[in-house]
Amino acid sequence: MIVNRRVGSEQPDEQDELEQHLVEKLNVPLGWPEDGGLTASHVARIAAAATCDTAYSHASNGHLIDLFAALPLPGTTEGKDFWERIRDAGGSAAWNIHPANMGGPFFDRIHDGNEGGIASRVLSFLEELTPAQRTHVAEVIGSALDNGTIGVSGRYGGELWLRDAEMSAWRVALAGRREFETAQERNRFFEAWRDA
């Protein structure tokens, strides 16, 4: 039995995990159909490659949703006050993430494959903030998080939220670069490092 923990095997004669699953659990021969141009092995490799990008993007988007879920909910008394304070602290940049402008459908669209929608709004929001606005926004977010359950409080907690949102959004944006779009860049990267 060949043991290979990588999703996509670099050795042409080695089976990766998905191929092993097809053979062992589903009893699908990898060369099937014999006279077809696209075999089960090809489909397994395509599925594994596509799943990596998609899963990474979904995980980062899921984390962005969790970050927003930690904030007061729009439509509640606490939420209305919070989001108005965000708008006042962040100025025009805050409209990128304000519920009155972004609304719930943006979160729903993640399920429809719009993986970059929230991420691009978060990155635009953070890019447009001045240093003073970022400090004020962090204070507003920190005061909302300051209920003792997370273990950090005040502006520091708000700054952690902003940094986490920024990195999560960046991961979504970076994962959005598909391999077919970056193949030449990757080849140049490997060549440059081989020649270094």
Side-chain angles (χ1 to χ4, degrees), residues 68-109:
F68 275 90
L71 302 175
L73 296 173
T76 65
T77 303
E78 182 186 11
K80 287 179 184 177
D81 177 58
F82 171 80
W83 287 105
E84 293 311 308
R85 288 176 35 220
I86 288 289
R87 192 189 68 205
D88 292 343
S92 62
W95 285 111
N96 286 295
I97 63 165
H98 196 282
N101 191 38
M102 185 166 86
F106 256 89
F107 289 103
D108 291 335
R109 288 186 195 126

Side-chain angles (χ1 to χ4, degrees), residues 1-189:
M1 179 177 160
I2 297 170
V3 177
N4 180 13
R5 298 198 182 277
R6 291 171 292 170
V7 172
S9 173
E10 306 233 347
Q11 302 300 322
D13 56 343
E14 263 186 66
Q15 293 177 353
D16 64 26
E17 287 183 23
L18 186 54
E19 289 174 323
Q20 287 179 26
H21 178 78
L22 287 171
V23 171
E24 295 171 14
K25 304 290 185 199
L26 302 178
N27 198 27
V28 176
L30 293 179
W32 177 81
E34 291 180 18
D35 58 348
L38 189 62
T39 66
S41 179
H42 294 128
V43 172
R45 289 173 189 270
I46 292 167
T51 300
C52 287
D53 284 345
T54 303
Y56 189 72
S57 183
H58 282 301
S60 296
N61 264 315
H63 189 65
L64 276 173
I65 291 170
D66 289 343
L67 287 169
F68 275 90
L71 302 175
L73 296 173
T76 65
T77 303
E78 182 186 11
K80 287 179 184 177
D81 177 58
F82 171 80
W83 287 105
E84 293 311 308
R85 288 176 35 220
I86 288 289
R87 192 189 68 205
D88 292 343
S92 62
W95 285 111
N96 286 295
I97 63 165
H98 196 282
N101 191 38
M102 185 166 86
F106 256 89
F107 289 103
D108 291 335
R109 288 186 195 126
I110 288 177
H111 298 295
D112 298 330
N114 181 9
E115 288 126 0
I118 294 171
S120 63
R121 282 182 167 267
V122 168
L123 289 173
S124 294
F125 165 61
L126 293 166
E127 180 183 14
E128 293 172 22
L129 289 176
T130 66
Q133 286 174 324
R134 186 174 175 123
T135 298
H136 294 308
V137 167
E139 289 169 354
V140 172
I141 291 172
S143 68
L145 297 175
D146 193 12
N147 56 13
T149 59
I150 297 178
V152 292
S153 61
R155 194 178 95 208
Y156 178 64
E159 187 58 42
L160 289 175
W161 190 98
L162 290 173
R163 281 189 251 161
D164 198 353
E166 191 167 36
M167 290 312 300
S168 297
W170 172 245
R171 287 183 191 102
V172 171
L174 197 57
R177 297 177 50 194
R178 303 294 185 214
E179 187 170 345
F180 72 87
E181 296 170 327
T182 60
Q184 288 182 335
E185 290 177 31
R186 288 183 189 196
N187 288 338
R188 281 197 304 266
F189 168 82

